[in-house]
Amino acid sequence: MLLIPCPYCEEPRPEIEFRYGGEAHIARSADPTGLSDAALADYLYFRSNPKGWHYERWQHQSGCGRFFNAVRHTVTDRIIGTYKAGEPKPDLALYRVRAGS
Amino acid sequence: MRFSFGNLLRQARAGHTGWGPQWRDAEPKAAYDVVIIGAGGHGLATAYYLAAEHGICNIAVLEKSWLGGGNTGRNTTIIRSNYLCEESEALYEHAMKLWETLSDTLNYNVMYSPRGVLMLAHNEHDIRSLKRHIHANRLAGIDNEWLTAAQAQAFCPILNIDADLRYPVLGAALQHRGGVARHDAVAWGYARAASELGVDIIQNCEVTAIRRGTDGAVEAVETSRGRIAAKKIGVVAAGHTSVVMAMAGLRMPLESFPLQALVSEPVKPVMPCVVMSNAIHAYMSQSDKGELVIGAGTDAYVSYAQAGGLHIATHTLEAICELFPVTRRLKMLRNWGGIVDVTPDRSPIIGLTPVPGLFVNCGWGTGGFKATPGSGHVFAATLAHGVPHPIAAPFTLDRFRTGRLIDEAAAAAVSH
Ligand SMILES: Cc1cc2nc3c(=O)[nH]c(=O)nc-3n(C[C@H](O)[C@H](O)[C@H](O)COP(=O)(O)OP(=O)(O)OC[C@H]3O[C@@H](n4cnc5c(N)ncnc54)[C@H](O)[C@@H]3O)c2cc1C
Ligand SMILES: [Zn+2]
């Protein structure tokens, strides 16, 4: 079970308090009707699904109830950082320097 | 050497010293007509049908670790064909028909055992959904019948149908022809038969890059054992499909999740069939060794760690103990995970890709073992002719753009 640091509650909490929300930073188009079928399919269905670092959404469902993003490694499950919804995608290099990896 | 009663007798007299290896552990050549990436059941079946039915024998099956060590060797082996959508019915029933004669076809005992698959209903929604499946299956000529809770218990005597369960059993759908097969034997049987027809099975050979020519078409793969040229490449890499397809610059409508299973200590035969409960995430059958084989759910998040969260297994075992009270004091012997590639509509992707010469067979998610013979059969035809086999035709990658989804996700709500 993961221990996930909620950036609002500012403490690590067990995974079962959270709900996974899929890949982060997939923005809905401001003009969805103007999208081509391929672009709409990409938004709806295609995912990066990397073997490595993954930016992903979580909701602290049984805690503060709020959405935030996490950067987690999909092989080691290590979480090197979480940040509040709406904040820009952090630079992975910075995290890795701080985390010493 | 063929397996036959005569050969068994001859070998018995010779002290069983004459049985050779069942397939050649091949060294990679510089070029092949077709390269298959992934020696799971689906990849090996594809190679076998390419050689046996399409006369294409200059094939390499490349495997990063050992043959059958992926989901093929990790699954709970449930076989059934009672899916809801017509496209899925055709695909899984095609596989079911091949299972029925597979041991003869391959001259290898895959231990296919149609002992019946019971799918439990625990609430009004389950009842309606299972009955809808039964009616759809009847129209397609696929067996599937409704049992009351008492009839379900008569079919599986250790099933608890007490009315005061947290999730009481209100009835069940039974597919008599459903059952199980021996997962390793399926991989080994296809490997042996393909190898005999000249297919090279190359283990410990990880594909690290896909090379394309100036026209965009595939030319070769780079592997941990050198460069191998091929004009046709079939990707059958299950949980690692996104990773392999990225080597050709393609994104996929896939997410990879760990799915877990467990086996108990072996006991005398207590479980005559397969029981599945989608609503409470528990599946159980009994292996010929006597172990109870138990399937759990997936982790919630994308992961390539081949182990699932303990709370997921705990949840399943709680459900198993409630449904089958005789299991409450059993010890679990082993617990493992496999990485399954899940599509948005929970149907597989079989066919061509935007890259010329590159074909893909993936997205089988939590339930592709049952399809192994059918999947290999239709994918081989697709690779041989360069156009989708009629049964594979609806399962294109392009359906996510056109919107023609085959929505087994909505139909089943969960796995298998
Ligand atoms: C716990 C569990 C229970 C399941 N239960 C059932 C069930 O009851 N019924 C059912 O029908 N299905 C079930 N499934 C699903 C089923 O196992 C799969 O859908 C099916 O086995 C997929 O077969 P495959 O041959 O495509 O994949 P795999 O057997 O996983 O083969 C893919 C192969 O590709 C190789 N590979 C990956 N990347 C590379 C690379 N770069 N280079 C070379 N090789 C590579 C892998 O090592 C692997 O051996 C279950 C799965 C799991 C994990
Ligand atoms: Zn919180």
Side-chain angles (χ1 to χ4, degrees):
Chain A
M1 187 178 309
L2 303 177
L3 263 185
I4 305 173
C6 173
Y8 298 101
C9 300
E10 296 181 341
E11 64 173 320
R13 305 291 305 171
E15 177 191 331
I16 45 172
E17 287 184 12
F18 297 84
R19 193 171 132 165
Y20 181 67
E23 186 171 358
H25 303 290
I26 297 178
R28 184 181 156 90
S29 164
D31 175 25
T33 49
L35 284 184
S36 68
D37 288 355
L40 190 62
D42 198 55
Y43 162 72
L44 286 174
Y45 302 125
F46 286 67
R47 296 293 177 262
S48 44
N49 196 24
K51 189 174 185 176
W53 295 106
H54 190 227
Y55 294 85
E56 60 195 22
R57 300 193 309 162
W58 288 87
Q59 184 197 6
H60 195 181
Q61 204 181 29
S62 310
C64 61
R66 303 177 79 174
F67 277 96
F68 62 93
N69 294 329
V71 190
R72 184 179 55 88
H73 197 284
T74 60
V75 178
T76 61
D77 277 343
R78 180 162 171 215
I79 295 172
I80 47 168
T82 54
Y83 51 99
K84 295 174 181 168
E87 288 180 4
K89 191 172 177 173
D91 183 0
L92 199 56
L94 281 181
Y95 271 130
R96 297 176 75 176
V97 169
R98 232 187 297 156
S101 66
Chain B
M1 191 190 305
R2 276 189 69 77
F3 293 121
S4 65
F5 189 57
N7 274 337
L8 188 63
L9 279 185
R10 268 185 287 281
Q11 287 305 323
R13 229 174 302 138
H16 291 291
T17 50
W19 299 110
Q22 304 205 2
W23 62 84
R24 289 173 299 113
D25 197 12
E27 289 296 314
K29 293 192 288 190
Y32 291 90
D33 293 339
V34 179
V35 157
I36 307 282
I37 303 176
H42 289 225
L44 292 164
T46 305
Y48 167 74
Y49 291 113
L50 269 172
E53 297 201 353
H54 304 280
I56 302 174
C57 300
N58 187 23
I59 305 173
V61 186
L62 309 182
E63 169 55 49
K64 72 179 161 83
S65 47
W66 69 93
L67 178 162
N71 294 343
T72 298
R74 295 165 185 270
N75 82 95
T76 51
T77 76
I78 299 173
I79 297 172
R80 59 185 184 85
S81 63
N82 50 355
Y83 281 70
L84 182 68
C85 305
E86 282 169 18
E87 298 87 345
S88 324
E89 287 172 331
L91 179 61
Y92 291 100
E93 183 61 20
H94 182 53
M96 185 76 106
K97 296 248 163 66
L98 292 170
W99 278 117
E100 285 164 358
T101 52
L102 193 60
S103 294
D104 279 341
T105 309
L106 299 179
N107 178 235
Y108 204 92
N109 187 2
V110 299
M111 296 165 78
Y112 168 57
S113 162
R115 58 184 69 175
V117 174
L118 265 185
M119 300 174 81
L120 304 180
H122 299 282
N123 53 45
E124 185 60 28
H125 172 81
D126 285 354
I127 295 175
R128 285 172 193 232
S129 160
L130 287 180
K131 286 192 173 171
R132 184 175 173 217
H133 279 72
I134 289 170
H135 295 314
N137 294 154
R138 198 189 51 221
L139 291 176
I142 295 170
D143 76 302
N144 196 7
E145 65 185 81
W146 178 253
L147 302 187
T148 63
Q151 288 170 325
Q153 197 193 37
F155 194 73
C156 182
I158 62 170
L159 182 66
N160 184 0
I161 56 167
D162 285 358
D164 61 357
L165 290 186
R166 171 69 183 83
Y167 297 100
V169 177
L170 302 180
L174 169 64
Q175 185 172 31
H176 271 288
R177 289 154 67 234
V180 292
R182 169 104 161 88
H183 48 5
D184 294 327
V186 174
W188 298 337
Y190 274 119
R192 172 171 169 271
S195 181
E196 232 153 65
L197 293 169
V199 172
D200 280 359
I201 297 161
I202 303 164
Q203 303 181 85
N204 298 312
C205 182
E206 178 168 5
V207 173
T208 52
I210 295 176
R211 299 284 179 230
R212 298 165 63 182
T214 43
D215 58 350
V218 297
E219 275 186 354
V221 291
E222 303 289 344
T223 77
S224 52
R225 299 177 67 175
R227 181 187 175 97
I228 301 173
K231 291 265 179 284
K232 283 187 180 177
I233 298 175
V235 178
V236 200
H240 281 75
T241 302
S242 295
V243 177
V244 175
M245 296 300 273
M247 297 173 191
L250 293 179
R251 267 163 75 83
M252 296 295 288
L254 292 171
E255 288 186 302
S256 296
F257 301 101
L259 178 67
Q260 292 183 69
L262 311 87
V263 290
S264 74
E265 56 188 319
V267 290
K268 288 190 175 163
V270 289
M271 185 74 187
C273 61
V274 180
V275 171
M276 306 177 57
S277 170
N278 279 346
I280 55 179
H281 280 292
Y283 317 97
M284 191 165 94
S285 65
Q286 188 167 17
S287 76
D288 293 315
K289 280 189 286 181
E291 301 154 329
L292 294 174
V293 181
I294 296 168
T298 60
D299 278 326
Y301 47 86
V302 164
S303 172
Y304 290 82
Q306 264 189 162
L310 192 57
H311 60 292
I312 305 281
T314 309
H315 173 86
T316 291
L317 290 178
E318 282 165 358
I320 291 288
C321 289
E322 177 121 317
L323 283 177
F324 306 102
V326 296
T327 61
R328 279 183 190 164
R329 295 170 67 181
L330 273 182
K331 292 190 179 69
M332 290 298 135
L333 275 193
R334 295 189 302 280
N335 171 212
W336 64 89
I339 304 303
V340 297
D341 46 332
V342 176
T343 57
D345 61 0
R346 303 296 188 274
S347 288
I349 300 166
I350 314 168
L352 284 65
T353 71
V355 174
L358 186 67
F359 298 73
V360 70
N361 183 354
C362 68
W364 292 96
T366 57
F369 176 74
K370 63 177 71 67
T372 305
S375 157
H377 189 256
V378 299
F379 191 49
T382 305
L383 268 163
H385 303 301
V387 290
H389 182 281
I391 291 178
F395 294 90
T396 57
L397 179 56
D398 202 41
R399 73 176 184 270
F400 296 97
R401 187 184 59 80
T402 61
R404 292 194 66 86
L405 302 188
I406 302 164
D407 207 347
E408 292 292 338
V414 272
S415 39
H416 299 264

